[in-house]
Amino acid sequence: MNPLVKKLTTAVLCVTALTSPLFMSGCSFSKIANGVQQGAQKASQQDVKVFNNYIEAIGDFNSWSVRFGYAINPSVQKLKEGQHLTSFMAPHFDTLQQKLQAAKDAGVPYDDMKEPLDNVLAVLKDIVPVASELDTYYQTNSYQADNYAKEQQLGPKYVQ
């Protein structure tokens, strides 16, 4: 027998002898690989589920803002120009804040989301009370009683 064939045959027999218990017991490399892959998929499925909370929050906010942009944009523009308003409509910043905070509490799936998310929540923390106060101010027609004094105070805070 050729020495090369003899060595190759010996190597194949050795590998077969060493790996046969794995295949005979039902534990194969493919099952191990599948287990690892399933674990990774579960982790990524959880990340996707958590990430979808953010998508839903932002999607709802954008949908509402686009739908009522015809009423929101003129209010902001008039406040920027220093004109007086008789009605006011702001995007639902409060709802966005609540949904983003709930999403954050459920988890932040990607590290590079943490800082921008915290920045957005910080801005929302500042704008939500101002928008709410302006909304109440115009709904109650308080601008008539104080000759727009509160608008002059809150308007610049809102448009910044």
Side-chain angles (χ1 to χ4, degrees):
M1 188 182 253
N2 185 345
L4 181 61
V5 174
K6 187 176 182 181
K7 286 181 183 180
L8 187 59
T9 305
T10 306
V12 169
L13 289 174
C14 287
V15 169
T16 305
L18 292 173
T19 59
S20 63
L22 291 174
F23 295 110
M24 298 301 256
S25 68
C27 179
S28 68
F29 290 116
S30 63
K31 285 185 181 181
I32 293 170
N34 285 342
V36 170
Q37 184 179 10
Q38 286 175 352
Q41 284 178 344
K42 285 181 185 177
S44 66
Q45 286 174 352
Q46 182 62 26
D47 287 347
V48 168
K49 185 177 178 182
V50 170
F51 187 73
N52 283 342
N53 293 331
Y54 294 96
I55 298 297
E56 181 182 339
I58 293 167
D60 290 349
F61 176 78
N62 287 341
S63 175
W64 192 92
S65 296
V66 167
R67 191 174 317 130
F68 295 102
Y70 69 90
I72 296 168
N73 294 337
S75 296
V76 172
Q77 188 60 38
K78 286 180 180 180
L79 284 174
K80 284 182 179 179
E81 295 171 355
Q83 296 179 20
H84 297 305
L85 303 177
T86 55
S87 65
F88 176 77
M89 182 180 275
H92 289 172
F93 292 122
D94 53 345
T95 305
L96 177 63
Q97 181 184 32
Q98 292 167 357
K99 287 184 176 186
L100 284 178
Q101 187 61 53
K104 182 180 179 183
D105 292 344
V108 180
Y110 309 108
D111 290 337
D112 57 346
M113 285 180 58
K114 290 178 183 177
E115 185 179 345
L117 176 62
D118 289 340
N119 292 342
V120 168
L121 287 171
V123 170
L124 288 172
K125 184 179 177 184
D126 292 339
I127 196 72
V128 166
V130 175
S132 177
E133 199 169 345
L134 278 170
D135 188 46
T136 302
Y137 179 69
Y138 289 105
Q139 282 187 7
T140 61
N141 296 326
S142 298
Y143 60 91
Q144 294 172 341
D146 72 353
N147 198 28
Y148 296 99
K150 195 170 217 172
E151 177 192 78
Q152 292 173 348
Q153 174 194 5
L154 295 175
K157 288 181 182 179
Y158 180 75
V159 296
Q160 71 179 357

